[in-house]
């Protein structure tokens, strides 16, 4: 038996280093033939770092195929090197398994490599939607990909091609906008930028298009809710992003928590297998969302049966030993299901083929460890420049009375106020360092708007900062930075999108001093701003711009013009929402595509 094993190992090692000309398919088939059921199931298992970090021997023991860094999982040190070190050590454990199949690591780098302190944080997708610039989005993805690879990680849970149709939804900012055309164009550009010319390139990262299907269309914008519409509408609004991403070469797709007409997507065989894999010809693999299969049934074994038979190829599991529905239970139960013929072995083989094909395409086994050359480029000046450009192009000018903008760099006095003025964390929003974002943890290398203004004006200009505007008198101009505090996913669901009372009062107070008030709104979506818009002299929608706040000053002081256009219809009232371009009764505050510019 031992001898047989070592012959097999020898044979496999040979097969891994077969000449490249041998196509991926035949290499995958050769490998598949050698795999036991346990090893196959291991490749379908994705475990969160936190669940396995104290059980690292399980990586080889169960031939775990993938590990993810969830929004709140992080290595002991969150610097680029800290991430790369943990990646390397985990990849090393995978090499203790019989077949030495490398792990593919996934992370939510949804606006830059956002969990890594020191990485460039780009505008969230809503801001990229405002740029209307697919070449720029591809560039953003390319830089993000390089920074991800600098930590060894090969897989990005992005782009999110949700078409956010109701701004109550807390994930509106993860969507490029309300129009399927815009979403599909920018989503495909992102996939191309992320995956590069070839998935095996050192700087290429596997994209994961999410969340299939209809996440942005739920009733009342409820996160993980129910999307109620007929199939024609579902396909017309929510599907184009996937069709285009597949054409662009996307090789992984994440399934959505939401239901369609009451049926949970994770159990929807028709959409996952018949439509996505067969009709659209998707050749990559489908990964489930975070513990999302658990919602299919009270009984874990039943959820596994339903989801794998529906077409899921890899299951994302946040729980480890001692917790319920953990990865060991998953492996044990799926094995039973195969033995009981409730999940056909052909389904397992299909899933494993899909996963292995991508691993071979990416040539992971020959680039096992993080490329230190890339690690040192994380957060470079060159990368920040791309972020700054993205910020400039994402700004939408909604009002500019008396041409108060652009501001002169030689003004005598500028008051800077608002809770967002001196907070890089607020500019970044959710999915930054922590899942829910952060205004207290330091974000290395970022530039706040206050700092950006200081960097821009002449030496003679006096900058007077107080968050509550208390120091303003009746001369000069005030720049007020207000808006939403960070949130992610369901924590951002709102039934009232009014600008907060304290923000509105701050604008009132400054206005009552008789000075010109320039409002910069930091938000993941349009907010109800009517009265404050009246009181402001100029009003800029800056979305969630990320670390490169200097891009805002570049445009405020006229070094660059405004080019951003609204990616969402701007509503007047809550009752109007959902309001989207093309609606029959369309009377918004500002229409989709609106955006002023400086006159030349
Ligand atoms: C989110 C996904 C994300 C995953 C992993 C889920 O809660 O819906 O967008 O990729 O967690 O962090
Ligand atoms: C994780 C996220 C995940 C979320 C799902 C959090 O604890 O860190 O990655 O998206 O749970 O609800």
């Amino acid at each position: 038996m031992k001898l047989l094993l070592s012959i097999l190992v020898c044979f496999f090692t040979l097969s891994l280093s077969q000449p490249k000309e041998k196509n991926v398919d035949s290499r995958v088939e050769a490998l598949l033939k050698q795999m036991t059921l346990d090893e196959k199931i291991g490749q379908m298992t994705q475990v969160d770092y936190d669940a396995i970090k104290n059980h690292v021997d399980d990586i080889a023991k169960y031939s775990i195929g993938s590990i993810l860094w969830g929004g709140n999982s992080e290595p002991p040190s969150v610097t680029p090197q800290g991430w790369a070190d943990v990646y390397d050590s985990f990849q090393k454990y995978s090499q203790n398994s019989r077949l030495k199949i490398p792990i593919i690591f996934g992370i939510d780098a949804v606006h830059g490599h956002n969990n890594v302190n020191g990485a460039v944080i780009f505008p969230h997708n809503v801001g990229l939607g405002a740029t209307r610039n697919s070449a720029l989005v591809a560039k953003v993805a390319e830089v993000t990909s390089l920074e991800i690879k600098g930590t060894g990680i090969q897989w990005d849970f992005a782009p999110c091609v949700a078409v956010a149709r109701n701004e109550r939804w807390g994930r509106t900012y993860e969507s490029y906008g309300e129009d399927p055309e815009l979403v599909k164009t920018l989503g495909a550009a992102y996939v191309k930028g992320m995956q590069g010319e070839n998935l095996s390139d050192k700087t290429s990262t596997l994209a994961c298009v999410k969340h299939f299907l209809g996440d942005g269309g739920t009733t009342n914008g409820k996160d993980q809710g129910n999307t109620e519409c007929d199939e024609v509408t579902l396909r017309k609004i929510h599907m184009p992003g996937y069709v285009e991403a597949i054409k662009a070469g996307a090789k992984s797709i994440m399934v959505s928590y939401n239901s369609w007409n009451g049926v949970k997507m994770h159990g929807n065989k028709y959409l996952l297998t018949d439509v996505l894999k067969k009709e659209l010809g998707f050749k990559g693999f489908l990964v489930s969302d975070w513990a999302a299969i658990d919602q299919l049934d009270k009984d874990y074994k039943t959820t596994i049966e339903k989801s794998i038979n529906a077409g899921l190829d890899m299951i994302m599991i946040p729980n480890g030993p001692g917790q319920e529905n953990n990865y060991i239970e998953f492996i044990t139960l799926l094995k039973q299901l195969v033995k009981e013929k409730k999940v056909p072995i052909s389904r397992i083989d299909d899933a494993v083929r899909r996963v292995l094909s991508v691993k071979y395409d990416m040539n992971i086994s020959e680039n096992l460890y993080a490329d230190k050359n890339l690690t040192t480029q994380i957060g470079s000046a060159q990368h920040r420049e791309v972020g700054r450009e993205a910020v400039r192009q994402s700004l939408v000018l909604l009002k500019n009375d008396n041409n108060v903008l652009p501001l002169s760099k030689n003004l005598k006095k500028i008051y800077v106020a608002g809770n967002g003025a001196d907070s890089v964390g607020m500019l970044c929003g959710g999915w930054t360092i922590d899942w829910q974002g952060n205004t207290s943890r330091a974000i290395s290398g970022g530039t706040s708007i206050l700092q950006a203004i200081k960097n821009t004006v002449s030496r003679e200009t006096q900058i007077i900062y107080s968050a509550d505007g208390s120091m303003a008198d009746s001369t000069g101009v005030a720049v007020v930075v207000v808006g939403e505090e960070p949130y992610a996913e369901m924590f951002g669901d709102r039934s009232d999108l009014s600008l907060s009372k304290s923000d509105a009062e701050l604008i009132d107070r400054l206005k009552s001093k008789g000075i010109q008030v320039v409002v910069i709104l930091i938000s993941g979506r349009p907010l109800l701003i009517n009265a404050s818009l009246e009181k402001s002299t100029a009003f800029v929608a800056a979305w969630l711009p990320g670390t490169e706040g200097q891009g805002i000053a570049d445009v405020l002081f006229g070094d660059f013009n405004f080019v951003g256009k609204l990616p969402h219809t701007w509503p007047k009232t809550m009752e109007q929402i959902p309001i989207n371009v093309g609606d029959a009764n369309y009377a918004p505050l500002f229409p989709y595509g609106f955006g002023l510019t400086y006159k030349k």
Side-chain angles (χ1 to χ4, degrees), residues 46 48 68-73 106-110 115 156-158 160 171 174 208 210-211 215 223-224 254-257 287-292 316 431 435 489-490:
Q46 181 185 56
D48 183 70
L68 89 140
W69 298 98
N72 282 329
S73 338
I107 196 161
D108 295 282
V110 299
N115 287 9
D156 184 12
F157 303 137
C160 175
R171 306 192 79 163
E174 294 187 59
C208 185
K210 68 188 191 185
H211 311 79
D215 49 356
D223 192 41
Q224 307 191 6
M254 190 185 293
V255 175
S256 187
Y257 280 115
V287 64
S288 69
D289 204 340
W290 181 271
M316 188 189 289
W431 293 109
W435 179 37
E489 298 190 47
M490 60 294 253

Side-chain angles (χ1 to χ4, degrees), residues 397-455:
L397 180 61
L398 295 178
K399 178 180 180 180
N400 191 19
D401 279 2
N402 325 325
N403 292 323
V404 60
L405 296 180
L407 299 173
S408 159
K409 293 178 187 172
N410 299 312
L411 284 172
K412 273 218 191 74
K413 222 176 353 186
I414 301 177
Y415 297 105
V416 180
N419 55 349
D422 196 22
S423 169
V424 175
M426 187 156 147
L427 300 190
C428 290
W431 293 109
T432 310
I433 307 295
D434 292 322
W435 179 37
Q436 292 299 316
N438 220 299
T439 49
S440 49
R441 250 173 115 177
I443 302 175
S444 304
T447 309
S448 71
I449 295 180
L450 175 62
Q451 187 58 49
I453 293 174
K454 288 183 181 163
N455 295 345

Side-chain angles (χ1 to χ4, degrees), residues 81-96:
Q81 194 56 52
W83 289 85
D85 288 345
V86 172
Y87 166 84
D88 281 354
S89 71
F90 273 52
Q91 194 62 279
K92 223 171 248 157
Y93 292 118
S94 79
Q95 299 306 293
N96 295 336

